[in-house]
Structures are given as structure tokens and as C-alpha cells.
């Protein structure tokens, strides 16, 4: 199977993790698009009923609404049973790098509401150590130069993602050359730097389950 087929496979598998009758947290990205389509098909067929979803991006909001799934504001819910989202990288402890789609801040907000994070990804996203994928960092624009210098001091090379403005009005730095061996400490440190809105390391909000699409089917990893 090619990568698109693997994304469809894990998107369909993730529907089994959606609790009937409860509001769902929905992430962003091409794999999540496949999940939304599979979710909509189950709802249309009468196999599942949910009151709505909290979305992490305008992109996912539009897809959910087009499928007839009500989208609720995050402020309207106190908790979510589950949040389903993809990852750019995930390690064997469930720590992730996210933000390739520039939605990392809202993704982390919605993940914080959820009791459980279910990551959906193809097998190419599983790594031993985070850092091969360029680390996205949402920033306040005026801090770009000084944050670039701070990442350089860690051995990283930060580049402003050209032409990208997030749903929050922020900019994205993509940082290469890092090896993130202690994701929890790294996330805590970088999150304190002035000008950082959100760093794309999801360590505090790590996955509890990963549905990994492989050539021989969906593998379920638990952390």
C-alpha cells in the first residue's frame, strides 16, 4: 500500500476509538482528513452518533461542517474523552513532533482538554529519537531573529516558513539539526523563551495510543 492508502487505513481504524454520544477532539492534517471522512461515513450509515466535535484548525472545521458534523468552540466544553490527531514524528514512548500543518497551538489546546490522545500515522513517522523532521515552533514575529539565535546555540538551524501565517496570526520557525533526547525537558525549556507561542514537541500531551499504518495492516502501540 502507498502512503495515502495507509492514511485511509488508520483513519478508518480510529473511528473505533470515538465514544458514542460524546464530543470528540479532532486534529489537523491529511491523515485526520481521512479520519473525518471515515467518521462521517459511519455517522451517515447510522453506526455512530456524536453531538459534535472540537476542531484544532479552520481546515478541519470546514471538513467537519461539510460532512454535517457540528463544530463546538473549545470554551463550550470542560473535557473531551478523546482527541484524535496525526503526528510528523512519534517515538516509542508516545512523544511526538507536530506542527507540519501549522496548527500546533490549537492542537495542543484541544489535546489539553482530552483524557486520551490517539495518534494516527503511517509507519514512516515512527522514530527512535525526535528531531529528524524539522521542528515547528509558532512564534511572535518580532522575536524571530533572537529565537533563531537561541536555537543556533542548541545546534539547530531555524528558518522562517515563508508565506505562512497561522490561524492565530503567528509565524512558524522550522528548526533542523536537533536531536531531542529528553522531550519533556526540551518542551518545558523552549516554551519559556520569550516570543515562543508553542513549540511542536508534544511531550506533556503525549499519545496514549498510536494506530500505525504498515504494509501488513494497522499496528496498535500503547504507551
Amino acid at each position: 500500500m502507498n502512503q495515502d492508502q495507509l492514511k485511509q487505513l488508520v483513519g478508518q481504524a480510529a473511528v473505533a476509538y470515538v465514544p458514542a454520544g460524546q464530543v470528540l477532539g479532532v486534529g489537523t492534517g491529511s491523515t485526520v482528513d481521512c479520519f473525518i471522512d471515515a467518521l462521517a461515513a459511519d455517522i451517515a450509515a447510522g453506526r455512530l452518533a456524536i453531538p459534535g466535535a472540537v476542531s484544532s484548525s479552520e481546515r478541519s472545521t470546514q471538513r467537519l461542517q461539510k460532512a454535517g458534523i457540528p463544530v463546538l468552540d473549545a470554551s463550550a466544553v470542560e473535557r473531551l474523552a478523546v482527541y484524535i490527531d496525526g503526528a510528523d514524528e512519534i517515538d516509542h514512548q508516545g512523544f511526538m513532533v507536530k506542527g507540519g500543518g501549522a496548527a500546533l497551538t490549537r492542537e495542543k489546546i484541544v489535546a489539553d482538554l482530552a483524557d486520551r490522545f490517539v495518534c494516527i500515522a503511517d509507519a514512516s513517522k515512527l522514530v527512535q529519537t525526535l528531531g529528524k523532521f524539522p521542528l515547528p515552533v509558532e512564534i511572535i514575529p518580532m522575536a524571530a531573529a533572537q529565537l533563531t539565535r537561541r536555537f543556533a546555540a542548541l545546534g539547530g538551524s531555524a528558518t522562517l516558513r515563508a508565506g505562512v501565517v497561522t490561524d492565530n496570526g503567528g509565524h512558524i520557525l522550522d528548526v533542523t539539526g536537533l536531536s531531542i533526547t529528553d522531550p519533556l525537558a526540551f518542551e518545558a525549556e523552549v516554551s519559556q523563551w520569550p516570543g515562543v507561542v508553542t513549540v511542536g514537541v508534544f511531550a506533556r500531551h503525549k499519545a496514549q495510543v498510536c494506530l500505525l499504518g504498515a504494509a501488513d495492516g494497522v499496528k496498535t502501540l500503547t504507551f
Side-chain angles (χ1 to χ4, degrees), residues 75-96:
S75 62
V77 300
E78 292 187 6
R79 61 171 288 277
L80 300 166
V82 67
Y83 175 62
I84 296 178
D85 200 358
D88 299 305
E89 289 184 328
I90 183 167
D91 69 12
H92 291 269
Q93 287 74 49
F95 299 132
M96 297 167 288

Side-chain angles (χ1 to χ4, degrees), residues 54-99:
V54 175
S55 168
S56 66
S57 70
E58 296 301 325
R59 167 180 169 165
S60 290
T61 293
Q62 292 171 8
R63 200 174 191 95
L64 287 161
Q65 291 176 334
K66 186 176 180 180
I69 300 171
V71 176
L72 309 179
D73 192 88
S75 62
V77 300
E78 292 187 6
R79 61 171 288 277
L80 300 166
V82 67
Y83 175 62
I84 296 178
D85 200 358
D88 299 305
E89 289 184 328
I90 183 167
D91 69 12
H92 291 269
Q93 287 74 49
F95 299 132
M96 297 167 288
V97 165
K98 294 175 47 57

Side-chain angles (χ1 to χ4, degrees), residues 71-147:
V71 176
L72 309 179
D73 192 88
S75 62
V77 300
E78 292 187 6
R79 61 171 288 277
L80 300 166
V82 67
Y83 175 62
I84 296 178
D85 200 358
D88 299 305
E89 289 184 328
I90 183 167
D91 69 12
H92 291 269
Q93 287 74 49
F95 299 132
M96 297 167 288
V97 165
K98 294 175 47 57
L104 60 162
T105 297
R106 295 192 184 191
E107 288 171 347
K108 204 169 274 192
I109 290 169
V110 183
D112 192 58
L113 287 168
D115 296 335
R116 194 182 199 192
F117 191 132
V118 176
C119 175
I120 51 177
D122 64 85
S124 69
K125 305 300 194 301
L126 184 65
V127 299
Q128 292 296 326
T129 304
L130 302 178
K132 184 176 180 181
F133 187 90
L135 174 68
V137 185
E138 183 167 352
I139 66 165
I140 302 299
M142 71 175 290
Q146 67 198 79
L147 289 171

Side-chain angles (χ1 to χ4, degrees), residues 148-222:
T148 296
R149 292 191 293 270
R150 294 201 73 156
F151 280 115
L154 297 182
S157 176
T159 304
L160 196 65
R161 195 181 299 181
V164 173
V165 177
T166 71
D167 290 342
N168 315 305
H171 289 187
I172 297 287
L173 284 178
D174 290 311
V175 188
T176 59
L178 298 173
S179 179
I180 304 170
T181 56
D182 188 343
L184 278 165
F186 183 92
E187 181 184 21
E189 169 65 23
V190 176
S191 295
Q192 297 180 68
W193 294 355
V196 169
V197 178
T198 306
V199 59
V201 172
F202 279 58
R204 182 172 174 267
H205 300 91
K206 74 170 196 170
Q208 283 75 48
V209 176
C210 179
L211 302 177
L212 204 66
D216 55 349
V218 177
K219 297 181 179 180
T220 302
L221 308 178
T222 57

